[in-house]
Amino acid sequence: MAQFNDTSAEIPGTPCLICEHGGLAFCGPGPGDADEPSRLSAMLGQVNLIAHDSVFREGDPATHLYSISQGAVKLYKLLSDGRRQVTAFLFAGDFFGLALDGGYAYTAETMTPALLCRFPRRKLEALFAEVPRLERRLLGLAIDDLAAAHEQMLLLGRKTAREKVASFLVMLDRRAARRGHHGPAVALPMSRSDIADYLGLTIETVSRTLTQFRRDGLIGLPDLGHAVLREADRLRQIADGG
Amino acid sequence: MAQFNDTSAEIPGTPCLICEHGGLAFCGPGPGDADEPSRLSAMLGQVNLIAHDSVFREGDPATHLYSISQGAVKLYKLLSDGRRQVTAFLFAGDFFGLALDGGYAYTAETMTPALLCRFPRRKLEALFAEVPRLERRLLGLAIDDLAAAHEQMLLLGRKTAREKVASFLVMLDRRAARRGHHGPAVALPMSRSDIADYLGLTIETVSRTLTQFRRDGLIGLPDLGHAVLREADRLRQIADGG
DNA sequence: CGAATCCTTGACAAGATTCAACTCGGGTGG
DNA sequence: CCACCCGAGTTGAATCTTGTCAAGGATTCG
């Protein structure tokens, strides 16, 4: 585990695809500052991973900051007996790996083949002095993550299975739209087991709830990897406790 | 609600007590940089709140950043039907209120009478340019919060009631020790209802679990507001899923 | 084509919630 | 001064949502 795919292990200097992603990630170009992206791309490296490969593990020294160029990644934490909590699903344009000297707080694993950009933490910190806007951006992204974490705590602590699954589908749909995916179906690159561990449920409960939504005409399930939100408004209502 | 106590509404320029708290909060003095604290205290204001007073509400415009000088504060989010998730308990030296233009992501309420330091967000951002170390500190604190949030997700999604309550007691004990409180009893300034909403349980389950711990000799409950961890190691073991 | 893995479905069990009664302690007012 | 009241907490019994265990079906991949 944790090996990088041989085909293109690391390509320093190659321009980062996510820099084209409209500023979603921290390496995106900012207004009136054309110099910064080139400085960043000069220090970033790309890593190409196969599906179900681990990027780093909880407790590993936090050497790099990652940004997803292509593919999907999940973050999770484990209890000693193997119980797992998936804390985030990430897609193109998202970043992860923000950590202090204590090491990464979670394990990061690809769900699909993925192309990641990564930045050495040390070099990035040195660059902060020259480009303060960078650190501001990173702080903003951390605050976004924090808000998402609080929202997930509300879900885990206080929502029913039905509300959790509805929230999950609505969240994926909203984020897919933000990335420009406006097709009828939302992609589910994660397994039922991943979904269960994200929502604090079992795979059986996730499966049963999805089936019930399908029977009620709220969603379509054309195949295991996709869901169609037929009654998105109703799902949003369920997600918020209605 | 949300009124400041009349007795000492705001005292600009008064030195912030938490600046003496050994660098726990972001306004603490750093090595070789005696200038910064004075600049900060020049722009901070103190607010004195009674118990069970709200500091700000979820969605309010994020005008200030807060730091606790004295007292205890809780953060929470609500669902439309009143279900509540407490996302954090905060004590002297802790800070809160980090938010972007979307407004605060949670409501903040005192649990005890509290003395807070607050910094206007606008002015703080202006100061970032002059004192880059400040922004670095804030980013570090945000990363700490993020790690705590992930830990809480693991608790909410995957721990049993017994493990949740044990984790809660151990967490309070560890944080009290960090603040220099080494007495035999850990303070519980929050109500059973707050604890339940923090752990994703009901007050009855919290009460029953505490009683069971007491019967098993793991803890003492001298009064409603205190707990004595008699078997701290065993509690830590339970908290981690043993 | 076969084997393995993932998912779905069903029957049953259990941990936590709900509902309800009771206790305790503090504050108030007769 | 003390009885009363009220809110908070505890305890008990019944219920229920979700988890556990087990079997069957589907999809994928060698």
Side-chain angles (χ1 to χ4, degrees), chain A residues 166-204:
Chain A
S167 300
F168 170 70
L169 293 171
V170 166
M171 178 271 288
L172 279 189
D173 185 50
R174 183 173 37 76
R175 293 177 60 190
R178 266 199 64 181
R179 294 199 308 282
H181 297 224
H182 292 285
V186 48
L188 304 176
M190 65 290 290
S191 67
R192 295 293 191 265
S193 177
D194 289 337
I195 299 174
D197 285 346
Y198 179 67
L199 299 176
L201 299 170
T202 58
I203 54 172
E204 292 93 334

Side-chain angles (χ1 to χ4, degrees), chain A residues 159-162 200-202 204-205 208 224:
Chain A
K159 289 189 182 180
T160 65
R162 190 177 162 78
L201 299 170
T202 58
E204 292 93 334
T205 300
R208 274 188 258 267
L224 282 178

